[in-house]
Amino acid sequence: MSKIRNFGPCSVVAAGAFLLAVVGCGSIAHPNPDAKPSDAKPSDGSPAYVPADGADATAIDSSDASLDTSSDASSDADAGQDAPAPTVVATLGAVPASLALNADLLYVTLVETAAGHDGKVLSVSKTGVDATPDAGVTTLASGLNQPRAIAVSDGRVLWADSESAFPHNPSVNAMPLAGGTPTEVVAASTMTRLPIAGSVLYALTGNTTTISAVPLTSVDGGAPTVIYPGNPPNGLVNPDSDGAFVYFFAPGTTNEDLLKVAVGGGAASPLVLNATSGSVNYDYLVDDASTIYWSDSGSGSVFSLAKAGGTTKFTVATISSGSGAVQLVLDGQNIYALAPAKLLRFPKAGGTPVVLASVADSGSERYVASLGNAIALAVDDAFVYWLYEGHGQILKLAK
């Protein structure tokens, strides 16, 4: 299978300890999957939780301009009652990047250290309490170069990785849920999101300029089929699919536009022009049966658009302007949002966000809503699960 070996007319610039940004690819800055943290070891000490008890939930750190402490009705709200600290499902011993939930197990990728080639894929029971690599955490794969986004499909765990120095050989790999020998599913440019609908992965290919459908029913994924040729050199970002369409961001005249393309291929249709105003790599896109939802890192808002038609976006909630990455996950009635220092909940129909948990936004005391925005949030019927970069942990809280 051929592999992607260059990223076109792009240049690499530094953008923090955990990632680099690739610029010069249209208007999109792509995260560098080869960037290594300077110290991929969680901080010591107890978690610096700020209880959502009505007084401190929104005033997390008044010195941090990215946190919104205003009284605007659309801004973060306190839980309004004493809330328990999150349960520590597992302490992993290294910085986690991405989280997936399948039945009773959580799957997580661990970031490589500065030494390189020591990233991992782990699993742990979602009912675990204070599990560790010595007791309760299972190592499925080790010696990995840059494991980032993770997902589960058709009895296998899949993750994005890069075999060698950026920009060479990004790929999606897979192994049985219980572990085994990893196999390459497809050479794909994305490191942050593995959108799967049914048994098909909709991957960014061609240096993130195209979208390809990859069947997951065979071990190697089979030959990918390009369903959208894109508009090179403009990159595409953060796709999601409902099995009928793939929704994604692409550079517009001034900001990023929201588009869709049928899973069978064809021309892309614009849905919302200027849908986002921040760094599109930190904007997150999800959908349910009737609606598309996305976060805008520029305004700090979460928007929605009905699939039935229309081009006017609806402001579901405002979290905090300039907060950076905000990830979203859905259940029946609510949206759960993970920002660098807050976990929030608000209704799909719109409303004031309630802070469920938070940490002091300083140093390494951050939840994982970075690392190129690899998925770090999951829900089931009873709990919400997320990653805590500062202490290398998986946390959970009753919904």
Side-chain angles (χ1 to χ4, degrees), residues 337-355:
L338 185 67
K342 302 177 187 179
L343 173 69
L344 310 101
R345 182 190 66 228
F346 44 90
K348 288 180 177 180
T352 302
V354 173
V355 178

Side-chain angles (χ1 to χ4, degrees), residues 282 324-327 338-340 366-371 373-374 376 387 389:
Y282 295 134
V326 175
Q327 299 181 27
L338 185 67
R366 296 166 67 88
Y367 296 143
V368 178
S370 55
L371 295 171
N373 218 8
L387 299 178
E389 176 184 325

Side-chain angles (χ1 to χ4, degrees), residues 34-41 111-119 143-145:
D34 194 52
K36 293 183 174 62
S38 58
D39 182 9
K41 180 181 179 181
V111 173
E112 71 287 352
T113 69
H117 296 280
D118 55 1
L144 306 178
N145 193 46

Side-chain angles (χ1 to χ4, degrees), residues 191-226:
M191 297 291 286
T192 60
R193 187 84 185 273
L194 300 178
I196 298 171
S199 295
V200 179
L201 166 68
Y202 296 94
L204 295 180
T205 51
N207 302 342
T208 73
T209 62
T210 62
I211 299 174
S212 294
V214 184
L216 298 177
T217 51
S218 62
V219 172
D220 65 359
T225 300
V226 175

Side-chain angles (χ1 to χ4, degrees), residues 25-26 206 208-211 228-236 248 250-252 259 268:
C25 304
T208 73
T209 62
T210 62
I211 299 174
Y228 179 61
N231 183 27
N234 295 324
L236 312 175
F248 60 96
L259 298 91

